[in-house]
Amino acid sequence: MQGNVIPLSQLMQGGGARFIIPVYQRNYDWKKANCKKLYDDLIDVSKTNKNKHFFGSIVYKPSGMMSEVVVIDGQQRLTTVSLLLLAMMNLLFEGKVTSNEESTAEMIKDLYLTNPFKKGDENLKLKPIKKDNIAFHKLFGDPDDFIMSSNMTVNYLYFYNRIQEKNISIDELFKAIQKLEIMQVSLDAQDDDPQLIFESLNSTGLDLSEGDKIRNFILMGESPAHQEEYYDKYWNVIEEKTAYDVSDFIRHYLTLKQNKIPNFSNIYFDFKEYVTANAISIESLLIDLLAYAKRYEQIKKASTTIKGVNEVLKRIYVLEMSVTTPFFLEILKNYEAEVFSADEIINVFQVIETFLVRRSICDIPTSSLNKIFSTLNRDVLKLKTSQDDYAEVMKYFLLTKTGTSRMPKDEEFREAIKTKDFYHINNKWRAYIFNRLENGNSKETTEIVDGLLNAKKYSIEHIMPQTLSKEWQKELGEDFEQVHEIWLNRLANLTVTGYNSNYSNRVFSAKRDMPDGFKNSPFRLNDHLKKAKQWTEQELEERSKDMEKNALGLWKYPSTSFEPIAIDVGFAPFDSEQDYTGMTIAAFDFLGSGRIPVKYWKEMIINIIKMLFDKDPSILYQLAAAEEPGLAISFIEDERDGYVKIAERLYFYGETSTWAKENSLKKLFELYKIAEDDLMIEFKDDGKNKIHKAVVETIKSVLDSNPEVIRDSKMNFRYIRFTTQILDDLIEKSGMGWTSSGRILLYECDIKSGKIGFTLYVGPGEESVRQKILNIVEKNQSQGIFSEIGSGKKWTQIYRKDILPKNYIDQYDDVEDIKNDIKAKLDKFFNTDMIQINEAIAREYQVG
């Protein structure tokens, strides 16, 4: 590498050298402000009689073709000066300006702009990229042929007009240009790495976007022929498909590839590391990028081949929830590969929309969304088997999220719909919500979003006005102030109208009956108002219930029948719904800490608590000072046996079960507003998990193969619940039963790594049904079928049978042995106890 400071004019004369701007460079994009500064600097150089003016650096390397050099850095400066010289030359030839030297125009042309010994396209000394090159060529010809949309033309015309202002003579300007000095850097040696030099020159990130740097990285190392081919075939199309926002696209691309979100300022280096570490060939990389760019365009334009998906995408686009993009990119890829049917992918998109809306309306912080969607596809695939429906697994995964990652259930969502201030929320969210409430899933729709946000022909109207007149006060009654304060900005008091200014604070009957009033409104949202005789708290309550019902239907809480198998060994995100009892921990990674080896759960939780203390000690000190049940009892201020010191006057009790430690972590994460999957846990494969997994799979398999057994929809990592065909037909589902299925009487198989057995519970539900069953149990107690009735009031145990002892994992080395034992014990249970229980309850339930 050779570098020295020389006049720019010397480089441009350069013995007829031709300067090639490679296709991997960005388009010419200097703005008018940059051109103005250059011209003003040249005037200053001339007026102050400076000997020189440093103009930056130009880095180039031989192209392999005689008299051709490839510009690595500095194309903006080189191109801009060429445009200025071209404007000067044309003005001289046209006679609009004059020089003291008759040959100035010819000198500019032959020394700086063209090579008189070359013909055709090779005649011009500067070869910009693609469209810029076409525009540049046009500037040497008829102005009627100029490409006015090109930045080349815009800046050329700026110089063309500025020169005619004659703030400086053409000779003074030409002399000032010759005083511009640059650092020329020629890359000649084999070990001169253009990419590293380029990165060094652009380390501030101010000149080039991350997408520009990535284009350079991809194409710079290729031969000129490959550069041209790859640019035309792939990169140019990628830019078009991403609406030239390649940086944003690449950020989403990296997120889905690496399951983590790169910082905006670090996209280029993360991308380079990803490509290098995985030894990805350039063409295969470009093929993959182009495929994802096409999907990216489909997401941005809501232009997939599935109408139902496009409808969701249009709505999510209004909400500006780009956080979903990496996940949607992968879902579209799976659809193209025929992994999903159209119905399945519509289901996926609708559930995601519901997830986003419920969280937003319930004011759950969005901080955890990036993490959720960057890993969602990976997390679903870890649970999914070849027989499972993707959407069902995804629903299960989202429904098991807790804390700030949760999907609000109906009770929380209903309360938010009723009480939230919908008038002062984000305008786009407000437009989205009223659009959905108005149109629902109807094919006959009114474009509320455009009417509220763009066309401005609609507005949000307070039915009970923001300022109460005496008539309104009278209509609302004695408690008008309280009613007004509570209900003013709630959903029940808001509607859409095109005549807001006409309504003002008129009384309700006037708003209803006036020519453009509620009674004549085309909006479904105003149907309730057409029938109302007055507008008091009673009407507000009624409309609120209608809107709550509508919202619960539109953004319906998902349900799923998916039941995951026990967790595998390996590195996995922490999930408080799982039971890690019996699993041996090897290491953890918390909030990007990197892998931290540990031997015990206690060691891990103490490390995590110390990290949380560093993050915010006040939360832990408040727990230590609190005198209340729950998490607080694990923290104290004074030293005591069994407690570990975290910091001065802060001690933690860690001598608890694995399950208790899991629960403590869950509650701590909720307090600190940290997502559970910010903790990654690595497990040792000591053989125990293999045995436990075999046990769980065998139990499920045997239950599912028995035609008398009905699995209950409610299931998690701790329990399998089921009933029998006889009991299910006999005992009515009350709708307020133990699980979502409405069943009251259920067997529960505890599948934790402790002892395993069956328990028959009479769970919460209709008291008359519960009592019937308990009477039967008490009557048959002497028969020895049922165990002694438990003391629980809501969950009453009436039968228990252990099939594996507490230390079963240590008693078996061979998986097949334990499978055979389980099958034998379950067969015995089915053919003895279960039959007797069925007969006893069937014999007396209807009689009782």
Side-chain angles (χ1 to χ4, degrees), residues 609 613 616-640 643-653 668 671-672:
I609 290 171
F613 179 86
D616 184 354
S618 65
I619 294 176
L620 296 178
Y621 278 126
Q622 288 170 16
L623 285 171
E627 296 181 1
E628 55 188 50
L631 181 62
I633 63 173
S634 297
F635 293 89
I636 58 174
E637 295 178 326
D638 301 315
E639 187 174 0
R640 193 183 304 172
Y643 284 80
V644 177
K645 184 176 181 179
I646 303 299
E648 288 300 320
R649 300 200 64 185
L650 182 64
Y651 298 84
F652 171 74
Y653 185 71
L668 282 169
L671 285 174
Y672 276 88

Side-chain angles (χ1 to χ4, degrees), residues 692 695-700 703 709 711-712 714-723 738 746-761 799-804 808 822 826 829:
H692 177 58
V695 168
V696 174
E697 290 177 340
T698 303
I699 292 172
K700 288 182 178 179
L703 288 173
V709 170
R711 291 269 294 278
D712 188 72
K714 181 66 175 179
M715 181 267 174
N716 59 30
F717 283 99
R718 292 187 171 90
Y719 307 108
I720 303 173
R721 291 171 180 150
F722 64 95
T723 186
W738 178 8
L746 280 172
Y747 286 96
E748 181 176 88
C749 178
D750 183 339
I751 59 173
K752 291 188 293 187
S753 296
K755 65 180 179 180
I756 292 181
F758 292 125
T759 305
L760 183 57
Y761 283 108
Y799 169 86
R800 171 74 192 186
K801 173 76 72 173
D802 290 334
I803 61 171
L804 289 176
Y808 76 87
I822 289 172
L826 288 179
F829 164 74

Side-chain angles (χ1 to χ4, degrees), residues 212-437:
D212 291 330
K213 296 176 189 176
I214 287 166
R215 179 186 60 236
N216 291 4
F217 165 71
I218 290 175
L219 297 177
M220 184 179 282
E222 300 298 308
S223 67
H226 272 152
Q227 287 177 7
E228 294 280 346
E229 178 190 354
Y230 291 166
Y231 180 84
D232 289 336
K233 189 175 179 180
Y234 302 113
W235 190 263
N236 190 42
V237 186
I238 290 168
E239 289 187 331
E240 290 174 353
K241 296 295 179 184
T242 60
Y244 298 93
D245 192 357
V246 180
S247 302
D248 179 70
F249 162 66
I250 294 290
R251 187 168 188 254
H252 294 308
Y253 178 82
L254 282 176
T255 299
L256 70 91
K257 291 292 184 181
Q258 300 182 307
N259 300 126
K260 62 179 182 179
I261 304 167
N263 293 327
F264 280 106
S265 60
N266 213 42
I267 295 172
Y268 163 66
F269 289 107
D270 282 352
F271 182 84
K272 180 182 176 184
E273 182 181 355
Y274 162 72
V275 174
T276 305
N278 292 283
I280 304 172
S281 71
I282 293 301
E283 186 161 22
S284 62
L285 173 66
L286 285 166
I287 290 171
D288 196 45
L289 284 170
L290 179 56
Y292 276 106
K294 291 176 180 177
R295 298 173 194 127
Y296 179 86
E297 181 184 47
Q298 289 180 345
I299 292 169
K300 293 295 182 181
K301 293 184 176 181
S303 59
T304 73
T305 57
I306 309 169
K307 182 181 178 183
V309 169
N310 293 340
E311 290 171 352
V312 176
L313 284 172
K314 287 175 186 175
R315 296 196 291 261
I316 290 180
Y317 180 78
V318 174
L319 303 178
E320 297 181 335
M321 297 300 290
S322 62
V323 67
T324 59
T325 301
F327 177 67
F328 286 163
L329 284 169
E330 204 63 13
I331 294 300
L332 291 178
K333 177 186 176 183
N334 287 331
Y335 176 69
E336 291 168 12
E338 298 184 349
V339 175
F340 306 137
S341 67
D343 288 341
E344 285 175 310
I345 193 174
I346 291 171
N347 195 1
V348 168
F349 276 76
Q350 288 174 340
V351 170
I352 294 301
E353 180 183 15
T354 295
F355 180 68
L356 295 172
V357 174
R358 281 185 170 241
R359 288 173 54 87
S360 176
I361 289 177
C362 292
D363 292 324
I364 298 175
T366 59
S367 54
S368 61
L369 288 179
N370 279 332
K371 181 71 174 177
I372 290 171
F373 285 107
S374 66
T375 63
L376 182 54
N377 184 61
R378 180 201 68 184
D379 294 332
V380 170
L381 293 179
K382 288 181 73 172
L383 294 178
K384 183 182 179 298
T385 67
S386 57
Q387 289 78 37
D388 295 321
D389 179 283
Y390 186 99
E392 294 301 307
V393 181
M394 184 196 74
K395 285 190 278 187
Y396 172 85
F397 184 81
L398 293 177
L399 292 177
T400 56
K401 288 289 184 182
T402 58
T404 57
S405 299
R406 72 187 184 279
M407 181 186 291
K409 295 183 179 179
D410 283 352
E411 184 178 353
E412 181 182 4
F413 186 55
R414 183 186 288 109
E415 182 66 15
I417 288 289
K418 178 179 179 180
T419 61
K420 184 182 179 71
D421 180 342
F422 279 93
Y423 188 70
H424 293 106
I425 63 174
N426 176 281
N427 285 343
K428 291 185 176 180
W429 270 98
R430 190 172 67 181
Y432 164 87
I433 289 165
F434 278 95
N435 183 65
R436 289 292 283 145
L437 290 171

Side-chain angles (χ1 to χ4, degrees), residues 578-628:
Q578 297 195 38
D579 192 326
Y580 299 103
T581 303
M583 299 188 69
T584 307
I585 192 169
F588 74 95
D589 181 337
F590 183 54
L591 294 174
S593 63
R595 185 180 184 275
I596 300 176
V598 289
K599 293 182 178 180
Y600 310 107
W601 284 88
K602 178 181 175 181
E603 185 181 355
M604 181 187 76
I605 194 171
I606 289 170
N607 272 281
I608 289 173
I609 290 171
K610 288 180 178 179
M611 292 179 187
L612 294 175
F613 179 86
D614 290 338
K615 188 177 180 67
D616 184 354
S618 65
I619 294 176
L620 296 178
Y621 278 126
Q622 288 170 16
L623 285 171
E627 296 181 1
E628 55 188 50

